[in-house]
Structures are given as structure tokens and as C-alpha cells.
Amino acid sequence: MAGRSRTGVTRREFLVGMGGTVAAGAALSGGARADEGDGPPVAESDRVLGPEAVRITIALNGENRTLDVEPRVTLLDLLRSSLDLTGAKKICDRGACGGCTVLLDGEPVNSCLVLAIDADGREVRTVEGLAADGALTPLQEEFVRHDALQCGFCTPGFVMSCHALLSRNPDPTEAEVRAACAGNICRCGAYSGVLAAAMAAAKRRR
Ligand code: FES
Ligand code: FES
């Protein structure tokens, strides 16, 4: 799972920076808009964003969304609090459980560790974006068929990790499924069901 953003600023580094004298925001080279201000020209990589909201556009589940977001807001909080997409779960909020897994440009990330502004200009897919017209994907159907959940709180994260794996490797080994889900924690112990579901979904794709 990704802890470091495309811009090279991790959430931890960002928050540490917020505690220092330069509390105004983060220096980023992404596409999010920075205020120009007075003074000499500032290199794109040195521009400071925030603390006020900046405008970003993300391709969210296939639909472009333009939003004004404070640089301190994580992608997870943007999804859950501003966009009402609550599939990604806020459990540990520190990159330890995988419950918040979403796809960023097709790669699984812990969205609690990604600043929303780092998703600017990128594709975000959440578990809500998998089923087309309410029809579950084969992977989701296999999760149901193999009883790969108990309380279900971790399930969206597991589904997204398995979906990412099957997208790049349609014929994984059990070891590869385990590796793909290594960052996902299930307190109910549904791991064997998840493994069976992923293998069954791969078999259906072949
Ligand atoms: S809530 Fe993001 S990894 Fe646990
Ligand atoms: S099904 Fe309960 S935490 Fe995984």
C-alpha cells in the first residue's frame, strides 16, 4: 500500500510540517492550483498550498468531480465526509489495517495516508465504483458465495485489494493473493474465505 504520495509528501511529513513555522501549507508539484501572491516567481515545485481550500479535479468512479479541498484533508475523509462514499472504512486512520483501500490510478492505496490534493488529475475508484448498474462483479459475488466476511467492516478493503490484483494478474497463485492482501486486517478472521473468493473469481475470469 502506498504511504508516499506522487508529490513526495507523506501524510506524516505534511503533518510534521504543519507543526513548524511554515504552517501555511504543503509545497507540492501536483496540478492543484497555488496562489500566486507578490514577490519573485516561485518554482512550481516550491509553491505553497493552503491553508485555504484549493481546487482539484479527480476522475471518481468514472466521473470527473471538481472540488475545493483544504490541503490537510485526506482522500479518505474527502470520500466519506464530503462525497458520501462510505465504502472505504476509517478504522485505524494510520495505514495499519487496509480498511480504507481504494484504487489510485489503478493501484491500491490506503486512502487515509493520501492527501486529497494528491489525487488531483488522477483516477480514483472506490468499492462503490465496481458494480455496474447494481450488478456485482464476479469477485464480489464470490465474496458472498464463499462467505468471505463476518462483520463486513474490512470487506471493502479486501475487495479492492483483490480487484487490483486480478486486474493486473488474472491467474494469481494463492501466495500472490495473500501478498496482495498483506496490508488488510480482518479482526473476524475471514482470511480463508477471502482467499477462496479471490481464487474462484480468477477461475471465472480464465
Ligand atoms: S483506516 Fe486506512 S489503513 Fe486503516
Ligand atoms: S469480517 Fe469483520 S473485520 Fe473482517
Side-chain angles (χ1 to χ4, degrees), residues 106-118:
E107 293 297 323
V109 297
N110 291 329
S111 58
C112 69
L113 295 182
V114 177
L115 291 172
I117 56 173
D118 280 331

Side-chain angles (χ1 to χ4, degrees), residues 70-138:
E70 291 180 33
R72 66 182 177 84
V73 174
T74 65
L75 179 58
L76 177 61
D77 283 340
L78 176 71
L79 293 171
R80 291 183 57 84
S81 301
S82 300
L83 297 170
D84 212 22
L85 292 173
T86 55
K89 295 294 180 281
K90 190 172 186 176
I91 306 174
C92 69
D93 203 24
R94 57 195 296 176
C97 74
C100 63
T101 302
V102 303
L103 305 187
L104 187 59
D105 289 339
E107 293 297 323
V109 297
N110 291 329
S111 58
C112 69
L113 295 182
V114 177
L115 291 172
I117 56 173
D118 280 331
D120 184 39
R122 305 175 74 181
E123 182 180 321
V124 176
R125 189 161 296 274
T126 69
V127 72
E128 291 91 345
L130 294 187
D133 299 324
L136 296 180
T137 64

